[in-house]
Amino acid sequence: MSNRPVTLTVAAVVLALEGILAVLLGGYVGVETVIGKPSDPISSLFVAGFGIAVGAALLWVAWGLLRAQRWARGPGVVAQIFTAIVAITLIQSGQGAMGVPLIAAALAGLVTLLSPPTTHALYGDERPD
């Protein structure tokens, strides 16, 4: 059995789910760009590539968290902040069905990434001088 706290595992799962969603949405935009008739194919392909790249980065950070790598916490927190901003924008634009679950995921990610058990698992008993 691993000594990894539940909070670290939950944070990794949240980031992995966000990463999978971003890859799927990026792939969907890419396929729709190729088989459809977008008004601006270059922009559509950029959005697709960006979505896939962001998703891959989130999956990499989730993998780092599962391995209790210190470097993964910072990008994970930044990702949750950006996710919260996107979620708030969705909610304010009347798309609560997408915004509410997204804000819940972002808050769960932030709480678990910043929790004391996660901090201890990543940094141990180190104290700044």
Side-chain angles (χ1 to χ4, degrees):
M1 183 167 179
S2 172
N3 290 333
R4 182 176 48 244
V6 172
T7 56
L8 191 55
T9 303
V10 170
V13 168
V14 168
L15 278 151
L17 291 173
E18 291 169 348
I20 291 167
L21 181 62
V23 167
L24 290 175
L25 289 173
Y28 174 78
V29 170
V31 168
E32 287 297 311
T33 299
V34 171
I35 65 172
K37 295 187 188 314
S39 60
D40 187 357
I42 300 299
S43 293
S44 296
L45 287 174
F46 176 79
V47 168
F50 184 74
I52 292 169
V54 166
L58 290 172
L59 289 168
W60 182 54
V61 171
W63 178 251
L65 289 172
L66 277 178
R67 297 180 63 219
Q69 300 290 311
R70 291 179 184 182
W71 64 264
R73 184 178 182 178
V77 169
V78 171
Q80 298 318 299
I81 292 168
F82 280 116
T83 300
I85 292 168
V86 170
I88 290 167
T89 302
L90 286 169
I91 292 167
Q92 290 175 339
S93 67
Q95 297 180 18
M98 289 187 293
V100 170
L102 201 54
I103 194 80
L107 291 174
L110 278 173
V111 166
T112 55
L113 282 167
L114 299 175
S115 72
T118 297
T119 301
H120 182 70
L122 295 176
Y123 298 99
D125 290 327
E126 291 181 17
R127 305 242 194 279
D129 293 330

